[in-house]
Amino acid sequence: MNEDIAWRLREAAETHQPDRARILALVERGAAGPPVRHRTPSFTRSWPKAALAGLATAGILATGGLAVAGIIRTPPPSDTVTTAPGAPSPTATPTPTRSAPPTATAPAPTAATTPASPHPSPSSGSRAQNGPLWSEGSIDSHSNAYWAQSDLALKTTQPLTSLTVELRIAQTGDVRDAGNWRTLPADDFTVTVQESGGVLVYRWMLKPGRTVPAGQHEFAGQYNHATGVRSSANDSYRVDAQSAGGTASVWGGFAPTR
């Protein structure tokens, strides 16, 4: 009898298809409402039938419980769609952000070009140092809207037996000589000032038999000019010298007043 019951239970369990939705609804309704009271079965039922029904019920409930547990433990389906691996899709390239174009700046006015001269000018480059010579040109800080002074600092590491210094001031409007000076003895030089080809030229030439000692020396040209701020962009200087080591030359322009 017991083997027959066991065989029937296994057969019922294998063929049973639990209604998962109904079981879940029953579980939820049971959790929300009052417990369901079951009618006590009559003891008049015969033992074999009662046992068979009880075992069948237990199997159904066990199978249903497993189904309910599976339903409860199974997470809800995700909205993410998983595709089979394939060829990688091309990565989208971010669109570059364009910045606003820089504000155009009007070019600064340039001074009028002076006629060509045989000596180098600032526009053709400069050579501030050569051999024993070192030089630097600048506009004197005391220059104003009517008058200016161009200074040349010249340093030599060797005595010079020959020296010619030129300051060339471009004619930018009413440029006229107002004087000159140097830190070396005046009797050692022949000084000339003349305007030629739109350029006012100050020239110092060392007299024969005289020597310029090693050290730093200064030369300056003073001039009046048209009212306003004068540009020194086309002004220049040049120095040619000779020492025991040979000849040397330097040239350049004049830095504006700061």
Side-chain angles (χ1 to χ4, degrees):
M1 178 67 69
N2 293 336
E3 293 180 1
D4 182 60
I5 294 174
W7 177 81
R8 293 186 180 184
L9 288 175
R10 283 195 301 269
E11 185 180 16
E14 292 176 358
T15 59
H16 178 68
Q17 297 294 332
D19 189 342
R20 297 177 61 182
R22 181 180 179 186
I23 293 173
L24 182 59
L26 290 174
V27 171
E28 293 178 352
R29 186 165 59 249
V36 180
R37 295 183 180 180
H38 298 281
R39 180 179 299 175
T40 303
S42 173
F43 286 98
T44 59
R45 185 179 300 176
S46 62
W47 180 86
K49 293 182 179 181
L52 180 60
L55 291 176
T57 303
I60 293 173
L61 291 177
T63 306
L66 292 176
V68 171
I71 293 173
I72 296 174
R73 292 176 185 174
T74 303
S78 172
D79 293 337
T80 303
V81 178
T82 304
T83 58
S89 59
T91 304
T93 303
T95 302
T97 302
R98 297 181 179 270
S99 57
T103 304
T105 304
T110 56
T113 305
T114 58
S117 67
H119 299 292
S121 64
S123 60
S124 60
S126 63
R127 183 167 71 181
Q129 187 172 0
N130 178 231
L133 301 181
W134 174 91
S135 62
E136 182 179 39
S138 62
I139 301 298
D140 191 88
S141 60
H142 295 94
S143 301
N144 53 50
Y146 311 98
W147 173 92
Q149 176 176 300
S150 296
D151 296 331
L152 172 63
L154 177 67
K155 181 165 61 177
T156 176
T157 58
Q158 297 179 4
L160 304 176
T161 57
S162 174
L163 177 65
T164 300
V165 177
E166 281 188 3
L167 306 186
R168 303 173 64 82
I169 311 303
Q171 181 56 261
T172 56
D174 294 336
V175 174
R176 297 187 304 274
D177 173 41
N180 64 87
W181 57 268
R182 85 272 95 220
T183 55
L184 292 166
D187 292 341
D188 289 352
F189 290 88
T190 299
V191 183
T192 60
V193 181
Q194 62 181 0
E195 184 173 350
S196 175
V199 179
L200 183 63
V201 182
Y202 295 85
R203 181 181 293 113
W204 293 265
M205 296 183 66
L206 185 66
K207 293 179 180 180
R210 307 295 175 92
T211 303
V212 174
Q216 182 167 326
H217 315 288
E218 292 186 14
F219 297 83
Q222 301 172 334
Y223 46 90
N224 298 320
H225 58 78
T227 303
V229 178
R230 180 184 177 276
S231 172
S232 61
N234 292 309
D235 298 347
S236 63
Y237 70 83
R238 181 181 176 91
V239 178
D240 296 297
Q242 186 168 0
S243 66
T247 60
S249 299
V250 290
W251 60 82
F254 297 91
T257 304
R258 295 183 179 179

